[in-house]
């Protein structure tokens, strides 16, 4: 019975004395939600182990501090869409456009069909049919280039909405001139 009690202690000693073989952290990617004080400390330590960091944070300042340009761009696009959904289409368009510029500046091609479609949706809300259709052309071009098709149905739905709105505007203009 005494021998069974000593086995856990020997295992702890092997770990403490370095006989334990752990898993290397280099090249791993931890996910961090929020870059407040704790998130920043975790990111700093993880970088020290050679880890890549993936995180979500509503505070762009932390993203800039750690050089996460993709997240800054994505947050700008998402917040722009949210502002537009609440009625501030002008600010929403500006944020999405800035986010798209930043996203493209990184060389990233993924997500462009979706991001351009979000911009088109905001243009639809703002009543700017031509700009919306142009955004959808950009979305379709990116879709052809990347073969990223998960947002394809939404792109065609938005195109239909914009064309209907365009047709309604043209019909109203015609009726106005007839009167």
């Amino acid at each position: 019975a005494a021998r069974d009690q000593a086995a856990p202690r020997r295992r702890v000693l092997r770990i403490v004395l370095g006989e334990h073989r752990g898993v290397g952290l280099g090249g791993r990617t931890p996910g961090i939600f929020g870059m407040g004080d704790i998130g920043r400390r975790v990111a700093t330590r993880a970088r020290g182990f050679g880890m890549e960091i993936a995180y979500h944070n509503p505070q762009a300042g932390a993203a800039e501090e750690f050089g996460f340009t993709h997240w800054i761009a994505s947050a700008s696009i998402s917040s722009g869409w949210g502002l537009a959904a609440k009625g501030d289409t002008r600010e929403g368009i500006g944020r999405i456009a800035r986010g798209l510029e930043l996203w493209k500046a990184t060389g990233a091609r993924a997500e462009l069909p979706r991001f351009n479609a979000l911009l088109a949706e905001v243009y639809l809300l703002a009543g700017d049919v031509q700009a919306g259709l142009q955004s959808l052309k950009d979305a379709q071009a990116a879709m052809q280039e990347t073969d990223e098709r998960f947002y394809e149905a939404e792109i065609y739905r938005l195109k239909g909405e914009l064309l209907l709105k365009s047709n309604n505007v043209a019909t109203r203009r015609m009726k106005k001139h007839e009167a």
Side-chain angles (χ1 to χ4, degrees):
R3 190 171 192 186
D4 291 338
Q5 292 174 349
R9 286 189 215 123
R10 282 193 306 272
R11 194 170 122 238
V12 169
L13 280 175
R14 280 196 309 270
I15 292 171
V16 171
L17 296 174
E19 295 175 12
H20 177 73
R21 302 218 189 270
V23 177
L25 298 176
R28 303 273 178 148
T29 305
I32 301 171
F33 185 81
M35 289 297 276
D37 188 49
I38 294 170
R40 286 182 183 162
R41 288 180 187 179
V42 170
T44 300
R45 287 188 177 102
R47 279 231 169 124
F49 286 104
M51 300 172 80
E52 297 293 321
I53 287 116
Y55 83 99
H56 171 74
N57 185 38
Q59 301 171 353
E64 290 170 3
E65 177 183 338
F66 285 91
F68 301 138
T69 308
H70 288 90
W71 295 110
I72 296 167
S74 178
S76 179
I77 292 166
S78 297
S79 67
W81 183 86
L83 282 170
K86 290 183 175 183
D88 192 353
T89 55
R90 185 175 181 182
E91 179 64 23
I93 289 167
R95 284 197 190 181
I96 294 172
R98 284 188 301 276
L100 269 169
E101 285 177 31
L102 188 57
W103 187 265
K104 290 175 188 176
T106 68
R109 307 304 299 153
E111 299 281 355
L112 282 177
R114 181 172 70 94
F115 290 159
N116 278 295
L118 291 174
L119 182 57
E121 184 176 5
V122 173
Y123 279 129
L124 175 64
L125 291 171
D128 191 342
V129 172
Q130 293 308 312
L133 290 171
Q134 182 58 53
S135 291
L136 290 180
K137 283 183 185 177
D138 295 343
Q140 289 174 312
M143 190 172 57
Q144 293 301 323
E145 178 187 339
T146 63
D147 204 28
E148 181 181 314
R149 301 197 175 275
F150 80 95
Y151 222 68
E152 187 172 18
E154 180 65 4
I155 289 168
Y156 286 115
R157 185 195 70 77
L158 287 168
K159 187 174 184 179
E161 293 280 338
L162 284 160
L163 290 173
L164 278 172
K165 189 166 197 144
S166 174
N167 190 30
N168 290 342
V169 169
T171 303
R172 277 185 264 148
R173 283 184 188 151
M174 211 176 345
K175 287 182 180 179
K176 185 178 178 182
H177 287 298
E178 289 175 0

